[in-house]
Amino acid sequence: MRDSMEEIQTGRFDLLDILIDIRLTNITEIKIVQEVVSSINAKYQEHQKDLQPATVAALILNRQEIPNLYATSSRGYNKQRLKFQNQYSVLVREELLPWAIDKVLMEKLPQSLHQDLTMALNSPKSQEKSDETDLFEILANINLANVTEFQVIEEAFNYIYTNYPGATGRINLSDVCALILNHESVSSLYATSAEEYEQLKQTYISQYQPQVKQIIHQMVAKVHAEGSEHSLSQDSLISVNHQRRKKLTKSWNT
């Protein structure tokens, strides 16, 4: 994190400056995007124009039964990956993914075509696997953003620099944000466009912000007292997530 208080005091910092230092990965998001893209490529090739991966993934990620699993270290990443695999992968693959795809198609296709597609998907050939897709490229370019994540990053940054100005080297912003975003009381609000982002931002402010602020205070105090893990630094996922956050901040979060 930056050492100078001048940007905070004069109001000259912006979210793009903060994101430079963020080492934060949501394993839930990665795994669900991977499942969505794989399923669309394998079973819905003729309807890919109607099935944007971001739209399908957002429907799943915004479900209450799907938690955030953020990590900031290699150890944390492996722990959260196993947790998703053991507790949520079957639910996503067998229930939520078919539900989300069906919901999108119902809105896009005439009823007769939707019925024909459902019959085709139940045939044996619909089970063929697709070629492996470049996950890093998908994650870097997909128009998908957790509004809660961006708000938490900005609000936690402000709180740390305002209330712990002498301890910014000890309090790792990424670790603080991971603890907040993984809290059971903090909901995901995934958007797939600038319009959705603004709508969900207002939802966050009106419905969730007061409670999240309390959790921010608790988690900053926890990390201040206990210290932080060594955050990820030279990791491909960190790089692509940073590029996507920067891109969507410039175009959506103005």
Side-chain angles (χ1 to χ4, degrees), residues 47-61:
H47 298 278
Q48 286 184 340
K49 65 181 178 62
D50 297 310
L51 287 171
Q52 294 299 320
T55 304
V56 177
L59 284 171
I60 301 171
L61 288 161

Side-chain angles (χ1 to χ4, degrees), residues 11-217:
R12 287 192 284 106
F13 82 99
D14 61 30
L15 186 56
L16 285 173
D17 293 325
I18 302 171
L19 293 177
I20 294 173
D21 297 317
I22 289 295
R23 303 291 183 267
L24 191 63
T25 299
N26 187 0
I27 286 75
T28 301
E29 178 186 298
I30 293 169
K31 292 298 183 183
I32 286 177
V33 168
Q34 193 172 24
E35 287 283 354
V36 167
V37 171
S38 177
S39 182
I40 291 174
N41 288 343
K43 301 180 181 181
Y44 301 87
Q45 292 182 358
E46 295 181 2
H47 298 278
Q48 286 184 340
K49 65 181 178 62
D50 297 310
L51 287 171
Q52 294 299 320
T55 304
V56 177
L59 284 171
I60 301 171
L61 288 161
N62 287 337
R63 293 280 296 235
Q64 289 297 316
E65 63 264 51
I66 297 298
N68 288 318
L69 296 174
Y70 280 88
T72 63
S73 67
S74 298
R75 183 173 67 87
Y77 179 91
N78 290 329
K79 178 182 176 182
Q80 299 289 46
R81 181 177 58 81
L82 288 174
K83 183 174 182 179
F84 181 87
Q85 183 66 32
N86 293 334
Q87 298 184 29
Y88 303 102
S89 61
V90 174
L91 173 64
V92 169
R93 188 178 303 114
E94 296 185 0
E95 296 184 28
L96 298 184
L97 182 55
W99 163 80
I101 289 177
D102 192 64
K103 182 177 176 64
V104 173
L105 287 176
M106 283 286 287
E107 296 174 356
K108 297 284 186 180
L109 299 178
Q111 183 64 27
S112 59
L113 288 179
H114 182 264
Q115 291 173 348
D116 291 342
L117 178 61
T118 302
M119 293 176 62
L121 290 175
N122 291 327
S123 67
K125 80 172 194 176
S126 68
Q127 302 302 316
E128 295 174 1
K129 291 187 177 181
S130 64
D131 295 334
E132 190 68 26
T133 307
D134 189 340
L135 180 61
F136 291 151
E137 182 178 352
I138 293 166
L139 291 173
N141 293 290
I142 193 169
N143 287 329
L144 184 68
N146 186 358
V147 176
T148 305
E149 175 188 299
F150 282 82
Q151 291 298 121
V152 164
I153 290 171
E154 191 168 7
E155 291 171 18
F157 177 90
N158 286 332
Y159 182 74
I160 292 168
Y161 269 88
T162 301
N163 295 278
Y164 295 83
T168 55
R170 176 176 176 79
I171 303 174
N172 184 281
L173 178 60
S174 296
D175 289 337
V176 168
C177 290
L179 287 170
I180 297 163
L181 291 163
N182 288 340
H183 195 282
E184 61 182 7
S185 298
V186 177
S187 299
S188 294
L189 295 170
Y190 274 87
T192 62
S193 68
E195 182 181 6
E196 281 185 8
Y197 191 99
E198 183 57 33
Q199 291 173 349
L200 289 175
K201 184 175 179 179
Q202 295 308 313
T203 298
Y204 170 86
I205 292 170
S206 62
Q207 297 184 23
Y208 300 107
Q209 191 176 56
Q211 184 176 18
V212 172
K213 283 188 173 181
Q214 294 180 2
I215 297 171
I216 289 173
H217 299 175

